[in-house]
């Protein structure tokens, strides 16, 4: 059984012990610090830790885990706390291990096209360091200006360029991981090809802090694209936008960005940022092609024709890099714009095969109407990954009940269409009840076995992804 309360009965007992066991470790256990780290970016989920620690190197992380394992104290790891599925929400009485002070970019190896960073490095800083030597780190989660690379790996984050370039997993070549007993392991290397044994690295990617603590990340970099073209297609019908996406994919075109905003989101973005979007539009598609200049022109012309053929009333094409950035800002500010509308914003994450997008969009609209809820929808439509976003108030219990019913219906429909409950936010606390339906009981059982092999005492982020067995 996991200890979730102070074993001594004294509020300050285990933080005091920890200070003595790990020299130089920054430990906070004041009510203010515990309250500040009681939540992450997920609405309506919180629990107070017993203490928060800020290690500055791998040795301190190892010391913390040796201490926690010896006393069976649960440990919840976090970076900036931008997670949206409750993956870094504490459990009562746990130790929060915050890696934001391990933020060095240790090496950029231009000869091998790799970058080594500590887990707490901000993702935008990683991308900037790559760009500084003329290279490109493609994953670009919406929170990249504040989220950390270790959190991106732990959640296998996606982003606006995921359609063409993939997600974080596709760029991880190696990891330094501290296991629950404090042992430090490396998995992976700079070799492009390596098939020696199991690929243990992949087990930690997307493991949401349940198998080990990621402390360093070795990333693959690539040459940047030579040219880019950005356009914004305007629709008076949401399903026409979804059909455009399906038609582009069917035409065997893979743009780097194929993003979607519905009318609710368009108007929230306008209220917030005043970009000049058409408020009367029912939907917008942000489309971006990159690569060789000639290929970009050919691809963009083909997508323009497809958009027109599928009901786009207007297509704005950026003439300059500044105009392109302005159009992209419409999508990048979507979540923050929606979050300003109501007291509680719940950003969900459902994915379907791309030829089922029109049905999924229709399901979200009908669900919102049936439950009398305000849902703004945007997302990575080229990936089939939509973010229905509930604009609600967690203090309104009756409305929150309707939100829960609507979520269940949306996830059930996504699974029915051959999709999944999360494309990039992870399972965490918020979606673990839906996991068996999404992947099957056998898969959940195998996941439990892997968890037990790495973390036999179950101290790492307990209760996330799935509940511990009694």
């Amino acid at each position: 059984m996991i200890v979730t309360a102070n074993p001594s009965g004294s509020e300050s007992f285990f933080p005091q012990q920890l200070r003595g066991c790990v020299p130089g470790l920054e430990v906070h256990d004041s009510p203010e610090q515990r309250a500040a780290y009681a939540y992450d970016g997920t609405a309506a989920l919180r629990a107070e830790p017993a203490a928060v620690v800020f290690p500055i190197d791998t040795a301190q992380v190892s010391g913390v885990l040796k201490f926690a394992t010896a006393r069976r104290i649960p440990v919840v790891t976090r970076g900036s706390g931008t997670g949206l599925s409750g993956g870094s929400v504490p459990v009562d009485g746990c130790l929060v291990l915050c890696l934001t002070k391990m933020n060095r970019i240790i090496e950029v190896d231009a000869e091998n096209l790799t970058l080594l960073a500590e887990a707490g490095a901000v993702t935008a800083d990683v991308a900037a360091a790559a760009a500084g030597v003329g290279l490109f780190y493609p994953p670009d989660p919406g929170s990249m200006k504040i989220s950390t690379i270790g959190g991106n790996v732990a959640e296998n984050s996606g982003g606006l360029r995921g359609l063409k370039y993939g997600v974080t997993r596709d760029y991880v070549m190696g990891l330094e991981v501290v296991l629950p007993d404090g042992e430090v392991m490396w998995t992976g290397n700079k070799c492009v090809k390596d098939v020696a044994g199991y690929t243990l690295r992949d087990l930690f990617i997307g493991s949401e802090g349940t198998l080990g603590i990621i402390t360093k990340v070795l990333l693959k970099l690539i040459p940047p694209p030579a040219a880019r073209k950005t356009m914004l297609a305007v629709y008076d019908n949401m399903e026409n936008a979804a059909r455009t996406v399906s038609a582009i994919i069917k035409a065997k075109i893979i743009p780097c960005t194929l993003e979607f905003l519905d009318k609710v989101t368009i108007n929230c973005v306008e209220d917030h940022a005043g970009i000049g979007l058409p408020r009367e539009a029912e939907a917008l598609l942000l489309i971006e092609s990159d690569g060789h200049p000639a290929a970009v022109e050919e691809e963009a012309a083909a997508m323009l024709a497809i958009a027109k053929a599928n009901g786009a009333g207007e297509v704005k094409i950026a003439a300059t890099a500044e105009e392109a950035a302005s159009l992209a800002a419409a999508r990048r500010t979507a979540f923050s714009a929606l979050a300003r509308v109501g007291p509680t914003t719940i950003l969900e994450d459902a994915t379907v095969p791309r030829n089922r997008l029109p049905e999924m969009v229709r399901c979200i609209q009908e669900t919102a109407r049936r439950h009398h809820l305000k849902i703004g929808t945007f997302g990575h439509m080229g990936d089939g990954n939509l973010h229905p976003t509930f604009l609600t108030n967690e203090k309104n219990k009756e409305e929150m009940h309707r939100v829960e019913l609507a979520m269940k219906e949306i996830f059930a429909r996504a699974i029915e269409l051959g999709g999944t409950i999360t494309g990039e936010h992870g399972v965490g606390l918020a979606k673990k009840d839906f996991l068996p339906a999404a992947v099957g009981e056998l898969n959940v059982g195998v996941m439990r076995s892997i968890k037990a092999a790495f973390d036999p005492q179950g101290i790492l982020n307990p209760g996330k992804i799935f509940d511990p067995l009694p």
Side-chain angles (χ1 to χ4, degrees):
M1 180 178 177
I2 290 172
V3 176
T4 56
N6 189 330
S8 73
S10 165
E11 281 295 319
S12 60
F13 179 70
F14 104 58
Q16 284 180 359
Q17 273 195 327
L18 183 55
R19 289 185 182 97
C21 287
V22 184
L25 179 67
E26 187 176 329
V27 182
H28 295 272
D29 60 343
S30 69
E32 293 80 10
Q33 285 278 5
R34 292 164 57 193
Y37 287 86
Y39 55 88
D40 65 7
T42 315
L45 294 175
R46 72 187 308 279
E48 281 208 3
V52 186
V53 299
F54 297 86
I56 57 171
D57 58 28
T58 302
Q60 286 193 342
V61 175
S62 175
V64 169
L65 288 188
K66 287 176 181 173
F67 177 91
T69 290
R71 293 157 181 79
R72 305 191 72 173
I73 296 169
V75 177
V76 176
T77 308
R78 60 171 285 160
S80 301
T82 55
L84 294 166
S85 62
S88 55
V89 171
V91 296
D92 282 330
C94 77
L95 181 60
V96 164
L97 193 152
C98 183
L99 292 172
T100 52
K101 295 195 175 181
M102 292 178 61
N103 57 7
R104 292 183 306 142
I105 293 171
I106 300 166
E107 177 193 75
V108 182
D109 182 347
E111 290 186 334
N112 285 301
L113 307 185
T114 63
L115 182 150
L116 178 65
E118 290 183 318
V122 172
T123 310
D125 292 341
V126 168
V133 296
L135 292 171
F136 184 36
Y137 177 66
D140 61 340
S143 60
M144 70 181 297
K145 290 185 178 177
I146 51 173
S147 64
T148 58
I149 194 67
N152 289 182
V153 175
E155 298 292 332
N156 193 19
S157 302
L160 275 65
R161 294 191 281 253
L163 172 58
K164 179 173 180 178
Y165 292 105
V167 296
T168 302
R169 178 186 298 279
D170 300 307
Y171 296 87
V172 177
M173 298 184 74
L175 295 173
E176 181 188 79
V177 180
V178 183
L179 300 175
D181 62 1
E183 289 291 309
V184 180
M185 68 177 283
W186 262 101
T187 173
N189 50 52
K190 293 183 180 180
C191 297
V192 175
K193 298 172 75 176
D194 179 2
V195 294
Y198 298 148
T199 309
L200 296 178
R201 174 190 68 218
D202 284 356
L203 283 177
F204 295 100
I205 303 169
S207 66
E208 305 189 25
T210 62
L211 302 181
I213 308 302
I214 297 165
T215 45
K216 292 190 179 76
V217 182
L218 180 67
L219 296 167
K220 176 177 75 176
L221 306 178
I222 64 174
R228 177 173 289 123
K229 200 171 192 73
T230 305
M231 62 182 81
L232 196 70
V234 182
Y235 295 84
D236 61 8
N237 181 303
M238 284 232 295
E239 288 194 41
N240 283 345
R243 289 193 185 94
T244 298
V245 173
S246 295
I248 288 173
I249 300 302
K250 188 177 180 182
K252 302 179 179 61
I253 299 171
I254 305 295
C256 72
T257 297
L258 194 42
E259 297 282 314
F260 167 79
L261 292 84
D262 75 349
K263 187 170 188 173
V264 172
T265 309
I266 293 166
N267 280 277
C268 288
V269 168
E270 271 307 287
D271 291 342
H272 172 48
I275 292 171
L277 302 178
R279 286 181 177 274
E280 70 284 359
E282 290 292 329
L284 297 177
L285 284 182
L286 174 70
I287 306 170
E288 195 164 78
S289 174
D290 70 0
H292 188 281
V296 167
E297 290 298 326
E298 183 179 340
E299 194 172 86
M303 290 192 291
L304 174 61
I306 291 171
K308 290 283 189 183
N310 283 277
E314 179 187 5
V315 181
K316 298 179 181 178
I317 300 175
T320 65
E322 289 73 23
E323 286 184 21
S326 177
L327 295 181
R331 167 61 184 88
R332 291 193 181 278
T333 58
F335 178 51
S336 55
L338 288 166
R340 295 166 62 91
V341 174
T344 305
T345 304
I346 302 176
L347 175 61
E348 280 306 343
D349 175 27
T351 301
V352 296
R354 290 166 294 195
N355 67 339
R356 311 305 295 271
L357 277 167
E359 294 160 84
M360 195 66 224
V361 167
R362 194 181 313 127
C363 165
I364 295 169
Q365 288 180 316
E366 290 173 355
T367 302
R369 278 195 294 270
R370 190 167 57 257
H371 291 287
H372 308 290
L373 294 169
K374 191 166 189 177
I375 302 178
T377 302
F378 64 99
H380 318 295
M381 217 172 206
D383 302 340
N385 184 194
L386 294 173
H387 295 311
T389 304
F390 295 79
L391 310 179
T392 183
N393 184 348
E394 63 187 286
K395 293 182 179 178
N396 184 335
K397 301 302 179 189
E398 189 276 331
E399 184 173 272
M400 289 300 288
H401 177 63
R402 284 185 277 122
V403 168
E404 289 178 9
L405 292 175
M407 284 182 185
K408 288 180 182 176
E409 292 175 15
I410 289 171
F411 290 141
R413 184 60 175 151
I415 294 169
E416 190 176 280
L417 292 172
T420 181
I421 58 173
T422 173
E424 59 182 10
H425 292 172
V427 176
L429 284 174
K431 297 184 181 176
K432 63 181 179 181
D433 290 344
F434 304 105
L435 185 64
V439 303
E441 293 286 357
L442 179 59
N443 278 270
V444 175
V446 173
M447 292 180 196
R448 288 186 191 280
S449 299
I450 294 170
K451 166 75 172 174
F454 279 93
D455 181 21
Q457 295 194 80
I459 67 164
L460 291 185
N461 216 5
K464 309 299 170 58
I465 303 180
F466 40 74
D467 287 322
L469 289 175

